[in-house]
Amino acid sequence: EILDLVGTHSTDPGFVAEVTNCTVSGPYAITKTSDGYYILENSVRSRNLLARSLFSTAIWDIRHRDSSLETETIDTAVSLVGPWCRGYYHWFSEWLPRVEGAKHYESKTGTSLKYIIPGDPPKWMYDSLKAVGLSDYQMIEWSPKIINVNTLVIPMISFISKSDATGYTTSPECFRWLRRQVVNNTLSQPKNNAKRVYISREDTTERRVENQSEVLSMLSSFGFEKYVLSDMSFEDQVQLFHDAET
């Protein structure tokens, strides 16, 4: 029944592109080529998100027009900054998987990339970057400015496109690569975690479960235990999901 509902899907293989002489600027690190084209991939392939980012960048540009903006040049880089990149789900489904293509590029070219990452990243984000093999010296924290990039590397991750308004779903292969990296580089000693896990949203300001106490009362009879992810380190989160029943 589920298969009849969702159907079957296939993905185009991901690939890595090079664009020379780009600029990266504004709050959302919009990338623009030397001949004035904007790179849609760095706006999660969404024209609507690109338009919003351009509007924010235009306002930022007006506010800083009379000030001396910091400008620097980077030889070869990949950007992990863009719409929704600070959101937990979006980071792991749309931004962090790009590291796979970037590392493939490094292995094929012998080039050491700089990774432009969100400014002042939360610890879970920083830990996730370390878990996929990045070193501190490779990371450049983004702050709204202008960066000239001699060669911008753009990993195209695989998406399953949908014909309706729901957009796309990241390819399972991307998640499998991410899981292997994180598990191999993060897990240490097993912990006494529950095998059946209920993730609470009580620490959020939206999409909260209004009747959580009733839900927990029912689930506890089946052996579920409540966890609040914001109270846990990234390593403990990885261990929790690794140990849970599937």
Side-chain angles (χ1 to χ4, degrees):
E1 292 181 3
I2 293 177
L3 185 60
D4 291 338
L5 179 65
V6 301
T8 58
H9 304 271
S10 60
T11 62
D12 295 327
F15 63 95
V16 181
E18 279 183 334
V19 181
T20 57
N21 301 321
C22 291
T23 59
V24 184
S25 63
Y28 292 98
I30 285 182
T31 50
K32 186 168 68 172
T33 65
S34 58
D35 49 0
Y37 289 97
Y38 293 97
I39 298 174
L40 195 61
E41 179 67 20
N42 281 356
S43 292
V44 205
R45 300 186 189 180
S46 168
R47 296 182 184 277
N48 288 334
L49 289 177
L50 176 59
R52 292 184 205 173
S53 299
L54 285 171
F55 180 75
S56 298
T57 300
I59 294 175
W60 172 84
D61 208 19
I62 291 171
R63 289 175 177 172
H64 294 84
R65 185 167 295 170
D66 297 327
S67 61
S68 56
L69 289 173
E70 179 185 355
T71 304
E72 61 181 280
T73 299
I74 301 175
D75 185 36
T76 311
V78 59
S79 177
L80 302 180
V81 179
W84 300 334
C85 65
R86 300 188 74 87
Y88 197 96
Y89 164 79
H90 293 284
W91 174 252
F92 283 101
S93 64
E94 296 159 359
W95 295 100
L96 191 60
R98 298 168 188 248
V99 176
E100 179 184 13
K103 285 190 166 293
H104 179 75
Y105 176 90
E106 288 181 308
S107 67
K108 290 295 185 180
T109 64
T111 304
S112 180
L113 290 173
K114 294 294 185 181
Y115 290 77
I116 302 171
I117 68 170
D120 191 21
K123 192 172 187 306
W124 59 261
M125 182 181 289
Y126 172 80
D127 289 343
S128 71
L129 289 161
K130 301 288 284 188
V132 295
L134 297 194
S135 303
D136 288 335
Y137 75 89
Q138 294 179 281
M139 305 180 203
I140 299 174
E141 291 189 27
W142 179 251
S143 59
K145 55 186 173 184
I146 298 175
I147 289 182
N148 300 313
V149 182
N150 294 333
T151 302
L152 184 69
V153 176
I154 307 171
M156 311 283 194
I157 63 176
S158 298
F159 288 116
I160 300 172
S161 298
K162 299 181 180 179
S163 58
D164 57 21
T166 56
Y168 61 85
T169 301
T170 304
S171 166
E173 283 302 318
C174 292
F175 289 125
R176 292 188 186 104
W177 174 84
L178 190 57
R179 182 184 188 278
R180 289 194 299 270
Q181 296 296 309
V182 171
V183 167
N184 291 340
N185 294 325
T186 303
L187 296 189
S188 53
Q189 297 297 321
K191 298 184 179 180
N192 189 27
N193 290 319
K195 297 298 183 183
R196 297 182 175 184
V197 175
Y198 171 81
I199 302 302
S200 172
R201 293 186 57 85
E202 63 190 53
D203 58 335
T204 66
T205 57
E206 57 185 16
R207 299 174 185 168
R208 296 167 67 97
V209 178
E210 293 185 358
N211 63 334
Q212 178 172 267
S213 58
E214 289 88 349
V215 172
L216 284 172
S217 178
M218 184 271 293
L219 290 178
S220 62
S221 63
F222 294 96
F224 284 85
E225 294 185 22
K226 182 188 80 171
Y227 291 85
V228 180
L229 295 185
S230 60
D231 294 337
M232 305 172 66
S233 68
F234 178 72
E235 179 181 348
D236 287 343
Q237 292 176 26
V238 173
Q239 189 75 58
L240 174 68
F241 290 116
H242 181 266
D243 294 344
E245 289 182 359
T246 56

